[in-house]
Amino acid sequence: MVEFDTFSPLNLEFAMRIPRSHNSHPKFLFGTLAATIVLSGLTACKPPEKASITRHEMNPPWEEVNGYTQVVEVNGVVYLSGVACSGETYAKAIPDCYSQLKVILDKLNLKPENIVKETVYTKDIDAFKEQIPARKSFYGNGKYPAATWIQIDRLYLPEMVAEIDTIAVRTE
């Protein structure tokens, strides 16, 4: 009688060591075993829960005119539309932008540390980088989000210098 080691998905020799009885082909037996493993894993899966979607109006005139929602929440994940930064200089615009974002977070009972992803669209990446201290001050605790900063040619209005788009997660 042939003895063999415990099955390991990486050990393809397993199928070749199975004694050939009744003209069984090792590849067929291995395929049957693999299918059984996959199907047994599928029976343990639960169907997805129905998504809970909430739209939070934050800026009614703009939202209605332009056809968007400032904040959409799906099962505790909060998607915040871009907050526009306008001002004579980046030194004025960027801190103001983060102040606006803080007001929105407060209305939603969230904090900057709930933000897990930040995307900044800016017309001048170097001018934005000079405002990193203002950004760090907003997050304050060193728990920074994943971030992407992109330089672009223009934003919705000519006076806009940057727009900050975020995703936050409720932890309670």
Side-chain angles (χ1 to χ4, degrees):
M1 172 155 224
V2 176
E3 293 185 26
F4 45 86
D5 299 328
T6 307
F7 172 71
S8 165
L10 300 176
N11 184 359
L12 297 178
E13 292 180 40
F14 171 79
M16 302 313 261
R17 293 186 194 176
I18 297 175
R20 293 183 184 215
S21 59
H22 304 60
N23 294 325
S24 297
H25 194 278
K27 288 182 182 177
F28 174 77
L29 291 173
F30 184 74
T32 303
L33 179 61
T36 302
I37 291 169
V38 169
L39 291 175
S40 68
L42 291 176
T43 59
C45 294
K46 292 182 356 185
E49 295 179 21
K50 191 172 185 179
S52 168
I53 301 173
T54 305
R55 289 173 172 77
H56 301 276
E57 263 190 22
M58 297 287 168
N59 196 355
W62 276 95
E63 290 173 292
E64 187 175 327
V65 168
N66 293 306
Y68 78 101
T69 303
Q70 181 70 40
V71 178
V72 176
E73 186 169 347
V74 181
N75 296 340
V77 178
V78 183
Y79 301 88
L80 289 86
S81 294
V83 175
C85 309
S86 300
E88 299 167 10
T89 66
Y90 273 74
K92 289 184 179 186
I94 301 305
D96 180 59
C97 211
Y98 281 109
S99 293
Q100 291 178 54
L101 185 55
K102 177 78 170 96
V103 169
I104 294 170
L105 291 173
D106 287 345
K107 288 180 182 179
L108 297 166
N109 296 315
L110 294 170
K111 297 180 176 162
E113 63 198 45
N114 292 98
I115 295 175
V116 296
K117 178 68 172 116
E118 172 192 77
T119 304
V120 175
Y121 301 93
T122 180
K123 293 198 273 185
D124 184 345
I125 197 78
D126 291 323
F128 179 78
K129 287 172 19 182
E130 290 175 7
Q131 299 311 308
I132 287 175
R135 180 180 177 274
K136 284 183 172 183
S137 175
F138 171 74
Y139 289 105
N141 57 13
K143 294 181 180 178
Y144 305 113
T148 303
W149 303 341
I150 304 164
Q151 182 167 314
I152 58 172
D153 289 336
R154 67 165 291 194
L155 290 156
Y156 189 76
L157 296 174
E159 63 269 16
M160 293 177 179
V161 297
E163 189 166 332
I164 301 172
D165 183 8
T166 59
I167 300 172
V169 176
R170 291 197 184 275
T171 56
E172 311 169 351

